[in-house]
Amino acid sequence: MSAIFHIGYPKSASTWLQENFFPKIKNIDFIGTHTTNTHFFQSDVFGYEPNSVRDVFLTENTLLFSSELITTSINLGWHHGAYSKTQADKIKLTYPDAKIIIIIRNQQSLIPSAYQQFVKNGGVESFDTYLNSNKYFQFEHLLFHHLIAYYEKLFRLENVYVYMYEDFLRSPKQFIERLISDLEFDIESDEIDYSRVNRGLRLGIIPILRFFNLFHRRPRLKTHYLLHIKGMFRFIKGLIMPLNRYKIFGRYTQPNDFLKQKDLNKIRNFYMVGNNTLTRRLTSQAMKENGYFL
């Protein structure tokens, strides 16, 4: 039984792939995020039974699992890579010949996007606190070359497919055609809806969300709050978030709305060596054009 795993990274077209692309591929059985998380991310490390997991998905077709949590949630900390390494090991035990899809995104773009998700999920801290506290976001999470190298070690280089999110943004159709060719997916191009699934936050919505987030408790996020009002999170999702569609709340945010020069310098200094390591897989010219610090 063959398997393909799309493991993220977070904020790199995962939702679009899971909703608009993977379910329409004819020659695979798509296993969605919830089920993938149940059997891999949320399963006990010491009690993990690969044979039992394989028995759940008995089929003659290729299986395609997808969850960006396999690389670890970007807003719950990196945990020193423990979760990410454990997920890779579980996949190897269960499907030793699996193919792996990894989509990266330049760090100075991904981090502000992750912060917006943090605020959507209940975060109240400023971007500066988010970036530098080491409590929610951890810089080591986006040292892509470490995780890619580990998957190459487990599954062999030719079975690990690395793509850049920026290529998807520039030309979604060309990006998907390459993915179809590389993984030999059976899908008609005209069946694919290329419309955007997720949008960022408008400038005026962020302070409103941070204010209302003070009034509900989000234990997993470890963000502080003043008072927990029952039903507040549903109120925010149902009545505050829909306001994000209105232009009166300003334009959609850009990375430079969050990143100061000192932040860019820190990001450059931290990631440039690791990014240079990736030029063995992705050309330096392409990475430079896509904004990666080298």
Side-chain angles (χ1 to χ4, degrees), residues 221-234:
L221 205 58
K222 299 179 182 178
T223 187
H224 74 271
Y225 65 101
L226 295 178
L227 174 69
H228 180 67
I229 300 176
K230 187 176 181 180
M232 177 56 73
F233 194 62
R234 289 194 299 274

Side-chain angles (χ1 to χ4, degrees), residues 26-216:
K26 297 180 176 67
N27 59 335
I28 60 100
D29 287 345
F30 174 55
I31 312 300
T33 304
H34 176 75
T35 303
T36 300
N37 289 342
T38 297
H39 291 284
F40 290 92
F41 185 73
Q42 296 166 347
S43 59
D44 181 76
V45 174
F46 295 106
Y48 184 71
E49 293 288 346
N51 291 332
S52 298
V53 174
R54 280 194 297 269
D55 288 344
V56 173
F57 303 106
L58 291 176
T59 177
E60 294 182 357
N61 296 330
T62 297
L63 297 164
L64 196 162
F65 297 85
S66 177
S67 173
E68 59 274 30
L69 279 185
I70 292 176
T71 66
T72 307
S73 171
I74 198 166
N75 289 324
L76 296 179
W78 173 233
H79 299 283
H80 310 291
Y83 284 145
S84 295
K85 182 179 184 298
T86 299
Q87 305 317 304
D89 293 340
K90 287 179 180 177
I91 295 171
K92 179 63 177 179
L93 287 171
T94 314
Y95 300 103
D97 298 317
K99 295 182 178 181
I100 310 298
I101 299 171
I102 302 175
I103 302 175
I104 64 174
R105 177 175 178 176
N106 78 56
Q107 293 91 347
Q108 71 272 23
S109 170
L110 197 159
I111 294 169
S113 180
Y115 173 71
Q116 292 178 69
Q117 189 65 51
F118 171 75
V119 174
K120 289 180 184 179
N121 290 345
V124 301
E125 282 74 12
S126 68
F127 178 75
D128 187 68
T129 299
Y130 172 83
L131 181 67
N132 296 299
S133 69
N134 208 40
K135 182 179 180 181
Y136 311 103
F137 168 74
Q138 295 180 4
F139 272 77
E140 289 80 4
H141 192 174
L142 303 185
L143 287 169
F144 304 127
H145 67 294
H146 285 319
L147 192 63
I148 290 171
Y150 190 65
Y151 272 94
E152 290 173 348
K153 176 183 175 182
L154 292 180
F155 297 97
R156 301 189 307 276
L157 184 146
E158 64 269 22
N159 287 327
V160 178
Y161 298 81
V162 181
Y163 304 93
M164 291 183 283
Y165 171 72
E166 293 78 15
D167 289 337
F168 173 79
L169 281 184
R170 184 182 301 107
S171 178
K173 186 174 182 180
Q174 185 175 347
F175 179 94
I176 291 302
E177 286 175 348
R178 180 183 169 197
L179 202 60
I180 291 171
S181 175
D182 289 347
L183 279 303
E184 298 181 339
F185 290 144
D186 180 9
I187 182 172
E188 298 296 332
S189 297
D190 57 5
E191 295 180 11
I192 303 171
D193 178 7
Y194 288 100
S195 59
R196 196 161 185 166
V197 174
N198 285 334
R199 290 301 303 262
L201 295 173
R202 294 184 183 273
L203 286 169
I205 288 294
I206 292 177
I208 296 173
L209 285 176
R210 288 177 62 195
F211 172 77
F212 280 102
N213 285 343
L214 287 167
F215 301 100
H216 67 93

Side-chain angles (χ1 to χ4, degrees), residues 225-263:
Y225 65 101
L226 295 178
L227 174 69
H228 180 67
I229 300 176
K230 187 176 181 180
M232 177 56 73
F233 194 62
R234 289 194 299 274
F235 168 78
I236 293 170
K237 290 294 185 183
L239 294 177
I240 302 300
M241 277 303 301
L243 299 177
N244 195 56
R245 69 171 66 102
Y246 297 110
K247 294 181 180 179
I248 191 174
F249 292 99
R251 60 173 172 77
Y252 289 108
T253 55
Q254 300 293 327
N256 288 340
D257 295 320
F258 302 96
L259 294 166
K260 302 180 179 66
Q261 188 59 50
K262 66 179 180 64
D263 301 324

